[in-house]
Amino acid sequence: MVIMKLTNQTNWGIVALLFLAFTALSVAELRELQLNTSEAVTLQAEKSAANYRKNIDQLSSLSPQTEELVLSTLLESTVSQPHISYAAIVDASGSVVAKREAAVQNAVPSWFTSIDSNSELEKRVPLGDSQRALVLTSNKVEVYTRFTNVLLRNIIAFVALSLLVSLLVAVMNRRFKRPIEDTVRKLNDMGSHNFTSPQVSASSGDCEQLTSTVNTLSSTLASKFDELTRQSELFKKEASKDSLTKLANRGAFERHMRALLNENATSQEKELIIVRLAQLASINTKLGMVPGDNYVKAIANILVEETKNNSNVRFVFRLTGGDFALICEAMEKPVRDLMLTNISKQCASASPLRDGTKATYIGITRFTGTMSMPQVMESVDSALIAAMKTQSGWELASEISHVHSNTRWRERLNYIVAQQYADIMIQPVMNIEQNIPAYYETFGRFKDKDTNEVIPMSQLIPASERLDLIPQVDRLVTSIVFKKMEVTSQQVAVNLSITSIANGEFRAWLVNELTQRQALCPRLLFEVEDAALIQYRDYAESLCRQLINLGCRVTIEHFGDHFASLSGLRAIKPQFVKISGRLTQGIHTNKENQLFVSSLINIATGLNIKVIAEMVETEAESVALNKLGVEHQQGYYFAKPALWNVY
């Protein structure tokens, strides 16, 4: 549908009105011409009759020849008038005694005949006392000629007036449109987050309310945008921090390492030191999570103090669980050993356990900007493995230990996959209003083949990623969950790693398995990290749509961690989003997190997506989240992960 511009609409409207006005004027002038012609013919007839009587009265005698001459002269003078086409003298019986016709003229065109359908006017007047009469007929050609002159004049006036009015309309419209165009420009600037453009001014009272509203809106949005920008920058800063220790977190560590390892980085050697708290799992199990958290914070303080006292240590990060990372300048062995001895002693003193076990294991590797991130992490992991067998509890990576590390991890992981077994842990996601589980999230736990102890996920996942075994591990866990679901009615969720989502073979396997197990789909959920919507958006969106089409549900977890695009959420339309635990922990006292979580909730509910808060550990956190509108919650406050025993 084509919409005509307002200027054109106005112009055409005025032209139409002018056309109607000039048409009415032309019709009126035609009627006036017809009336004038009738009056002229009548007047001419009376005048000719009077002249005839006057001429007759002046003659003393009237011979037939003289009378004929007078009549002939009378007729000639009469038809010479432009509005007379025919003149005749008729006797009492109506017979024509004499007649004259005007000179031959052009015929009247049919279009004029159609608008002037009246026949030519005829006028009869007696000539004196005789039985004769003068008959005159009007000249329609003369009427046509005069009318065309009038019509031409009207057309010229119509065109000239139309052009003048159009010009006037254009000028007035331009003046009226200027504030509208300025308003549109202002709105476009606002849409581009540019609130510094000049304010819009009104050229007339009609636009004053519009421009005033836009200027007010711009000022309000500018204030809101500045506040959101401030909050966003603050949150980005906070998002790079570990919520427990306030140290830079794994995300910040990875960004910093990528900057050091890019191709333009210096070739100067640096050292990466990983400090692993060997007793943390035992502390959490035997003493509880609070003593464990206090221990982690104490270690963080020890490492921070080391950076203040040792110029070689540049940065400290908490990676996950009990793993800390230090980035240092390359050190000589005596200097490094002295620092590591000091760290080991202080960490052992801070531990609440006194069972004689080693408090920390420390792995060190040297790297340059020419190395890749996987190479560095493989090297430091090999050092950690080797450190477990040393008296000191630390080791510098070497080629031998590097190969040994990869070989040992591959053996451990291949054993896990070959066994086709894992302990499946479940933790409920609670519906707060109904106080019942909405569904259970599942986790795989794997035991080491030599020690029969559970392998910490903080070690297993990085190793699986390095050796490209994550899809196989996810496939194993998913298969076990499917089998357990066949003998239970519970609704459960399976976690899909980013690596598995990016793996075409895994995606095909999963869709094929679900197609063959359609009965399970209504009770199945799949939890996908929001980082997948950034790193592998096409794969993630395609897989999620397939899962939903099969009848499964989808939860986007760690929502708010990586600022995943809203377009990804709109494309997938998941049933749940799970807000990152970094935002929910201590939320009852953190006003900044409350504001940000409230914004995330508004986004999700606006898209008709339910919100879950994870890592809820206290009643105060749960109440605060409930007040913000979070109706689904998960964490130790409700239940710890427990072994899923169904058969």
Side-chain angles (χ1 to χ4, degrees):
M1 179 181 178
V2 180
I3 301 177
M4 190 180 297
K5 291 183 178 180
L6 178 61
T7 304
N8 293 338
Q9 293 179 9
T10 304
N11 284 336
W12 281 112
I14 292 176
V15 167
L17 289 175
L18 288 175
F19 178 76
L20 291 175
F22 279 103
T23 299
L25 178 61
S26 298
V27 171
E29 290 185 328
L30 175 60
R31 297 293 178 261
E32 183 69 21
L33 281 173
Q34 291 171 339
L35 180 60
N36 291 342
T37 299
S38 175
E39 291 177 351
V41 171
T42 301
L43 183 60
Q44 184 63 44
E46 292 175 351
K47 181 180 178 182
S48 295
N51 287 338
Y52 173 78
R53 287 191 294 271
K54 181 179 178 182
N55 289 334
I56 294 298
D57 290 343
Q58 290 177 352
L59 294 175
S60 57
S61 62
L62 185 62
S63 63
Q65 292 81 5
T66 302
E67 184 178 9
E68 182 179 351
L69 179 60
V70 171
L71 291 175
S72 177
T73 302
L74 175 65
L75 294 175
E76 287 292 344
S77 63
T78 301
V79 297
S80 65
Q81 301 299 316
H83 46 272
I84 304 298
S85 65
Y86 175 80
I89 305 296
V90 296
D91 57 19
S93 63
S95 299
V96 176
V97 176
K99 65 179 181 179
R100 291 289 188 277
E101 291 183 3
V104 178
Q105 300 182 25
N106 295 330
V108 176
S110 58
W111 67 266
F112 183 72
T113 303
S114 65
I115 64 174
D116 183 14
S117 58
N118 296 332
S119 60
E120 295 175 331
L121 176 66
E122 186 177 280
K123 184 66 176 179
R124 181 190 295 263
V125 293
L127 292 175
D129 297 332
S130 68
Q131 298 299 313
R132 297 176 181 179
L134 175 63
V135 178
L136 301 182
T137 303
S138 64
N139 189 353
K140 197 165 188 175
V141 174
E142 177 66 15
V143 176
Y144 160 70
T145 302
R146 291 187 178 184
F147 179 71
T148 53
N149 291 334
V150 170
L151 194 60
L152 180 60
R153 182 195 67 202
N154 288 348
I155 290 174
I156 293 173
F158 167 75
V159 172
L161 191 56
S162 295
L163 292 175
L164 181 61
V165 170
S166 296
L167 180 61
L168 181 62
V169 168
V171 172
M172 295 299 294
N173 220 29
R174 178 62 182 168
R175 182 171 180 271
F176 182 76
K177 282 173 60 179
R178 185 175 295 112
I180 297 178
E181 292 173 348
D182 290 344
T183 299
V184 172
R185 173 187 51 76
K186 185 75 173 176
L187 290 173
N188 288 333
D189 289 343
M190 290 160 58
S192 302
H193 300 161
N194 175 19
F195 302 101
T196 60
S197 57
Q199 290 203 333
V200 183
S201 58
S203 59
S204 66
D206 297 328
C207 299
E208 186 174 359
Q209 185 176 3
L210 173 64
T211 56
S212 175
T213 301
V214 170
N215 290 331
T216 302
L217 177 63
S218 177
S219 299
T220 302
L221 288 179
S223 176
K224 295 284 187 183
F225 185 75
D226 289 343
E227 177 64 18
L228 286 175
T229 301
R230 187 187 70 81
Q231 294 290 345
S232 177
E233 291 301 321
L234 180 62
F235 179 74
K236 286 181 181 179
K237 185 177 179 180
E238 290 297 320
S240 298
K241 290 184 178 180
D242 174 63
S243 58
L244 178 62
T245 64
K246 305 305 178 184
L247 294 176
N249 61 16
R250 187 181 189 89
F253 167 74
E254 291 176 351
R255 288 193 294 273
H256 192 82
M257 286 295 294
R258 281 196 294 269
L260 293 175
L261 297 174
N262 70 52
E263 59 184 4
N264 297 319
T266 176
S267 59
Q268 182 180 357
E269 277 193 326
K270 295 185 181 298
E271 290 185 356
L272 172 62
I273 300 176
I274 301 295
V275 178
R276 178 165 291 165
L277 306 185
Q279 294 180 334
L280 181 60
S282 297
I283 293 172
N284 287 335
T285 302
K286 296 177 181 179
L287 305 180
M289 298 298 294
V290 173
D293 287 347
N294 291 336
Y295 175 52
V296 170
K297 287 190 285 188
I299 300 302
N301 291 334
I302 291 170
L303 298 178
V304 169
E305 285 298 316
E306 191 64 32
T307 64
K308 295 177 180 178
N309 301 328
N310 191 332
S311 61
N312 291 307
V313 183
R314 300 300 188 187
F315 303 96
V316 182
F317 305 87
R318 185 194 180 194
L319 303 185
T320 181
D323 282 1
F324 292 83
L326 289 78
I327 297 178
C328 314
E329 300 297 330
M331 293 176 281
E332 296 295 331
K333 186 177 186 303
V335 175
R336 184 193 314 112
D337 286 353
L338 180 61
M339 181 188 76
L340 297 179
T341 300
N342 183 42
I343 290 175
S344 296
K345 287 182 178 179
Q346 291 190 67
C347 290
S349 299
S351 174
L353 290 184
R354 297 292 186 271
D355 57 4
T357 60
K358 203 75 174 175
T360 59
Y361 294 114
I362 304 174
I364 312 102
T365 187
R366 288 191 170 187
F367 66 93
T368 65
T370 59
M371 298 174 67
S372 68
M373 186 73 168
Q375 287 175 325
V376 176
M377 297 310 295
E378 287 173 12
S379 181
V380 76
D381 187 65
S382 70
L384 273 171
I385 297 296
M388 295 179 184
K389 300 178 181 180
T390 64
Q391 180 69 27
S392 62
W394 67 77
E395 184 62 79
L396 177 67
S398 65
E399 288 300 317
I400 296 176
S401 63
H402 170 76
V403 173
H404 173 74
S405 171
N406 281 339
T407 302
R408 182 177 176 185
W409 268 115
R410 190 175 293 279
E411 289 176 355
R412 297 168 82 184
L413 292 170
N414 284 337
Y415 172 78
I416 289 171
V417 174
Q419 287 295 106
Q420 288 294 295
Y421 178 79
D423 287 332
I424 303 299
M425 313 295 287
I426 60 172
Q427 186 180 30
V429 174
M430 297 298 295
N431 184 318
I432 301 303
E433 288 189 352
Q434 300 179 16
N435 196 30
I436 59 172
Y439 66 86
Y440 292 86
E441 182 180 1
T442 61
F443 313 88
R445 291 293 180 266
F446 307 93
K447 293 182 178 179
D448 186 88
K449 68 174 184 177
D450 297 327
T451 64
N452 202 37
E453 294 181 356
V454 174
I455 303 173
M457 298 305 290
S458 60
Q459 300 176 30
L460 185 142
I461 292 177
S464 301
E465 288 177 343
R466 289 199 309 271
L467 300 174
D468 295 325
L469 291 174
I470 283 286
Q472 294 186 42
V473 173
D474 279 355
R475 183 170 174 171
L476 170 60
V477 172
T478 306
S479 297
I480 295 173
V481 170
F482 286 172
K483 291 177 181 178
K484 288 181 176 291
M485 287 186 69
E486 291 175 353
V487 293
T488 181
S489 60
Q490 290 173 311
Q491 301 186 52
V492 299
V494 177
N495 287 280
L496 298 180
S497 69
I498 297 176
T499 305
S500 295
I501 290 172
N503 186 283
E505 184 177 344
F506 177 84
R507 296 196 307 272
W509 171 83
L510 179 61
V511 172
N512 181 61
E513 284 291 310
L514 291 172
T515 303
Q516 298 179 32
R517 303 171 185 264
Q518 286 278 351
L520 301 181
C521 290
R523 295 189 288 117
L524 259 173
L525 295 93
F526 289 91
E527 297 202 353
V528 177
E529 290 188 40
D530 72 340
L533 301 180
I534 300 174
Q535 298 178 30
Y536 300 104
R537 176 174 174 174
D538 291 342
Y539 294 144
E541 289 184 4
S542 175
L543 178 60
C544 288
R545 282 195 292 266
Q546 285 181 291
L547 296 176
I548 291 173
N549 289 337
L550 286 167
C552 303
R553 287 171 288 171
V554 171
T555 297
I556 303 299
E557 61 177 347
H558 305 320
F559 187 52
D561 257 359
H562 298 91
F563 304 99
S565 66
L566 293 180
S567 58
L569 290 183
R570 292 192 184 98
I572 295 172
K573 296 181 180 177
Q575 284 68 39
F576 296 93
V577 291
K578 185 180 288 187
I579 295 177
S580 171
R582 290 188 308 96
L583 299 172
T584 60
Q585 286 189 314
I587 194 169
H588 57 292
T589 59
N590 192 322
K591 299 296 183 182
E592 300 290 347
N593 278 5
Q594 288 176 17
L595 176 62
F596 196 78
V597 167
S598 179
S599 299
L600 295 178
I601 293 170
N602 289 336
I603 291 171
T605 53
L607 296 172
N608 198 28
I609 302 172
K610 297 177 182 178
V611 179
I612 302 170
E614 65 177 354
M615 297 180 68
V616 181
E617 299 185 354
T618 66
E619 182 180 5
E621 290 174 349
S622 177
V623 171
L625 288 164
N626 196 26
K627 288 180 179 179
L628 289 174
V630 181
E631 298 178 357
H632 294 80
Q633 298 178 18
Q634 177 186 19
Y636 281 15
Y637 173 65
F638 302 100
K640 294 182 179 181
L643 187 64
W644 191 18
N645 290 316
V646 294
Y647 57 81

